[in-house]
């Protein structure tokens, strides 16, 4: 009986040897310790985000990390599956060998594929423990994989991260919109202030125009007005719209009232290209009143700086340069050789209240007229003395045939204004 059992063992060993791996490829079936089962296979930790990145760059880095984590987990699962298949094959071979070895005796030493324990029950128990250990390890690995991938951010958590990033971007956008609204409000306030200032200025001008219209409506006739020049500046003046033709003689008359000191300034000036002092009446500083024609000077014996209305007339003719000066209808002076044989040039600019250094400009405040002017008329001939007397004592109204004193022929600038003028009789009472 014993011989028969020995023969069967020998045949089983021989058959196992035919199915066993080649030399050098033997496998050892060993149970793993309990702490190794619980430890599992550690997974690589996710890289920490670092550096100050923009929200878009952080999102892009998070997506890349998730992709790398998934790829690593897939590789780990593949490796574990390969290990399980390998171990399962080993287990199957171990079980086959154990079945043959259980009928034999005598082998001692390590638990190897070719040298299994003698006790079949111990072998089966040991293989069962190994199989259970492998199952526990696989479950632990799967659980750890799910935990790591969940901690790394599955789609639900990833959506939460995206929502947080989008919320932060939305808050930044709202802050920027609020800043733009504040800037828009400031710009609107500045625009409103500028508009209010403009409207205030326009209202003031409209009020001034209304006052002038009321004053003009009170004029008794087109010549019943005066020009007021209250300050000694270089920007208050009146301008005659018409110009002069070529003249060989003239008479200029006007009413004026001034108490300026020293000197009343320049009641009128006529400038042409190439000659700023073609005709000028001026009292400058402590000098007497002067009449300039073509920059030639004659001093006039007139005294009008007492703050009362005075009627002034000057006449001139190119023949021998004869001139005359009248104050309140009385001839106070005469002379000759004032720019003789010089005709007055046409096409110039006639200014009230300022002396021109260039045609129509470059006024000097020290030479400006301060006071009121009215009834400025120019004729192209020398008026007779009686005609001048009649004009001065209000017995006749004779407008100039070259430059008449009418409202629509006089413009005012720089704050100069037009007002109703006293009647001729009232002006006489002021003498």
């Amino acid at each position: 009986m014993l011989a028969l059992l020995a023969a069967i063992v020998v045949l089983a060993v021989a058959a196992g040897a035919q199915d066993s791996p080649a030399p050098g490829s033997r496998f050892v079936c060993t149970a793993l310790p309990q702490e190794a089962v619980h430890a599992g296979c550690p997974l690589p930790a996710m890289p920490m985000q670092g550096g100050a990145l923009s929200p878009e760059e952080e999102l892009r880095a998070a997506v890349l990390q998730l992709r790398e984590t998934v790829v690593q987990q897939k590789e780990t699962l593949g490796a574990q599956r390969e290990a399980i298949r390998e171990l399962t094959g080993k287990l199957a071979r171990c079980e086959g060998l154990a079945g043959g070895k259980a009928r034999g005796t005598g082998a001692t030493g390590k638990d190897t594929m070719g040298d299994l324990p003698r006790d079949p029950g111990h072998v089966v128990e040991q293989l069962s423990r190994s199989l259970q250990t492998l199952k526990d390890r696989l479950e632990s690995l799967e659980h750890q994989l799910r935990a790591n991938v969940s901690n790394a951010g599955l789609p639900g958590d990833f959506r939460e991260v995206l929502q947080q990033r989008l919320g932060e971007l939305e808050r930044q956008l709202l802050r920027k919109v609020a800043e733009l609204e504040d800037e828009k409000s400031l710009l609107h306030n500045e625009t409103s202030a500028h508009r209010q200032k403009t409207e205030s200025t326009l209202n003031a001008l409209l009020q001034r125009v209304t006052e002038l219209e009321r004053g003009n409506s009170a004029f008794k006739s087109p010549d019943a007005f005066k020009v007021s020049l209250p300050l000694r500046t270089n920007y208050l003046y009146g301008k005659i719209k018409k110009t002069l033709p070529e003249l060989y003689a003239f008479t200029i008359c006007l009413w004026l009232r001034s108490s300026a000191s020293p000197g009343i300034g320049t009641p009128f000036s006529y400038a042409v290209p190439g000659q700023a002092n073609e005709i000028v009446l001026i009292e400058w500083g402590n000098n007497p009143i002067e009449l300039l024609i073509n920059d030639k000077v004659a001093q006039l014996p007139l005294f009008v700086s007492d703050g009362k209305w005075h009627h002034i007339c000057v006449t001139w003719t190119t023949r021998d340069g004869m001139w005359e000066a009248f104050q309140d209808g009385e001839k106070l002076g005469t002379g000759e050789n004032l720019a003789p044989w010089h005709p007055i040039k046409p096409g110039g600019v006639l200014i009230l209240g300022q002396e021109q250094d260039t045609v129509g400009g470059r006024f000097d405040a020290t030479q400006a007229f301060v006071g009121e002017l009215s009834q400025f008329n120019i004729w192209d001939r020398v008026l007779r003395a009686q005609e001048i007397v009649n004009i001065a004592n209000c017995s006749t109204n004779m407008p100039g045939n070259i430059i008449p004193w009418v409202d629509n022929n006089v413009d005012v600038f720089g704050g100069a204004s037009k007002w109703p003028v006293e009647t001729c009789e009232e002006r006489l009472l002021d003498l």
Side-chain angles (χ1 to χ4, degrees):
M1 186 68 180
L2 292 173
L4 180 60
L5 179 62
I8 293 171
V9 169
V10 170
L11 292 173
V13 169
Q18 292 176 359
D19 298 333
S20 62
S25 301
R26 301 179 62 190
F27 299 95
V28 178
C29 299
T30 306
L32 295 175
Q34 190 69 22
E35 59 273 12
V37 175
H38 294 292
C41 297
L43 295 174
M46 290 180 62
M48 299 295 291
Q49 296 181 357
L53 300 176
S54 65
E56 295 80 1
E57 293 176 346
E58 291 181 359
L59 289 175
R60 191 179 295 109
V63 171
L64 293 176
Q65 290 176 0
L66 289 175
R67 289 178 179 175
E68 293 175 359
T69 302
V70 170
V71 171
Q72 291 176 1
Q73 296 301 333
K74 286 182 178 180
E75 293 176 353
T76 302
L77 285 175
Q80 294 299 331
R81 289 193 184 98
E82 185 67 25
I84 290 170
R85 285 195 296 270
E86 183 180 355
L87 290 174
T88 302
K90 289 180 181 180
L91 180 60
R93 285 192 292 273
C94 287
E95 288 177 346
L97 291 174
K101 192 67 178 179
R103 293 188 297 270
T105 58
T108 61
K110 295 183 181 180
D111 298 332
T112 65
M113 295 290 290
D115 190 12
L116 296 175
R118 296 188 184 92
D119 188 1
H122 178 69
V123 171
V124 172
E125 182 181 358
Q126 188 175 10
L127 290 174
S128 298
R129 285 198 304 269
S130 298
L131 182 59
Q132 185 64 38
T133 300
L134 289 173
K135 291 180 180 180
D136 292 340
R137 288 181 64 188
L138 180 59
E139 292 176 356
S140 176
L141 179 61
E142 292 176 350
H143 177 73
Q144 185 177 4
L145 177 60
R146 286 194 299 268
N148 289 338
V149 174
S150 175
N151 292 333
L154 287 174
D157 293 337
F158 185 60
R159 281 196 301 270
E160 183 178 355
V161 172
L162 286 177
Q163 290 175 356
Q164 292 177 358
R165 296 292 187 270
L166 291 174
E168 183 178 354
L169 290 174
E170 184 178 1
R171 287 190 295 271
Q172 293 178 0
L173 179 61
L174 290 176
R175 285 197 298 269
K176 187 62 176 177
V177 170
E179 293 175 358
L180 292 175
E181 289 291 339
D182 293 340
E183 293 177 358
K184 179 181 178 182
S185 177
L186 291 175
L187 181 60
H188 177 72
N189 292 336
E190 293 177 357
T191 304
S192 298
H194 181 69
R195 184 170 58 252
Q196 290 176 357
K197 183 178 179 181
T198 303
E199 290 177 354
S200 177
T201 304
L202 289 176
N203 289 334
L205 290 174
L206 180 61
Q207 183 179 1
R208 182 61 176 163
V209 169
T210 302
E211 292 176 356
L212 291 175
E213 288 176 347
R214 284 200 302 267
N216 288 339
S217 65
F219 294 164
K220 299 177 179 62
S221 65
D223 64 343
F225 71 97
K226 62 183 177 182
V227 172
S228 176
L229 302 164
L231 300 175
R232 192 183 294 276
T233 70
N234 62 351
Y235 54 84
L236 272 73
Y237 66 98
K239 180 178 180 181
I240 305 298
K241 295 181 180 180
K242 293 183 65 176
T243 187
L244 298 180
E246 185 176 51
L247 297 176
Y248 298 92
F250 65 77
T251 298
I252 301 176
C253 295
L254 71 156
W255 285 87
L256 61 82
R257 177 167 64 181
S258 176
S259 58
S261 179
I264 64 171
T266 308
F268 66 88
S269 64
Y270 175 69
V272 296
Q275 180 53 268
N277 296 325
E278 187 69 0
I279 305 175
V280 180
L281 183 69
I282 184 172
E283 184 183 48
W284 184 27
N286 295 319
N287 299 320
I289 293 180
E290 297 176 339
L291 175 64
L292 283 71
I293 298 179
N294 193 29
D295 215 19
K296 306 300 187 292
V297 181
Q299 294 183 346
L300 310 182
L302 305 177
F303 306 93
V304 294
S305 59
D306 55 1
K308 297 180 180 181
W309 279 109
H310 293 282
H311 186 260
I312 301 297
C313 282
V314 292
T315 68
W316 173 86
T317 178
T318 187
R319 177 179 290 185
D320 296 329
M322 295 289 298
W323 61 267
E324 296 174 317
F326 294 80
Q327 179 175 330
D328 301 324
E330 181 181 358
K331 182 189 293 188
L332 298 183
T334 185
E336 59 182 13
N337 205 30
L338 176 59
W341 314 110
H342 170 77
I344 302 299
K345 296 178 182 178
V349 175
L350 195 54
I351 296 293
L352 301 177
Q354 296 285 352
E355 193 273 333
Q356 306 172 65
D357 287 338
T358 60
V359 178
R362 274 189 63 183
F363 304 141
D364 185 349
T366 62
Q367 298 175 338
F369 174 80
V370 181
E372 297 174 326
L373 299 172
S374 185
Q375 300 298 317
F376 179 82
N377 291 278
I378 301 179
W379 295 263
D380 59 356
R381 62 184 179 87
V382 175
L383 296 184
R384 299 188 303 272
Q386 188 59 48
E387 290 177 315
I388 294 176
V389 169
N390 292 338
I391 295 173
N393 62 22
C394 303
S395 61
T396 184
N397 182 20
M398 189 171 67
N401 66 334
I402 299 299
I403 300 294
W405 183 251
V406 291
D407 179 40
N408 60 10
N409 191 39
V410 181
D411 288 333
V412 291
F413 301 91
S417 56
K418 295 179 184 179
W419 297 100
V421 69
E422 297 85 345
T423 64
C424 187
E425 289 75 16
E426 290 172 341
R427 295 195 294 271
L428 285 177
L429 294 176
D430 193 38
L431 294 177

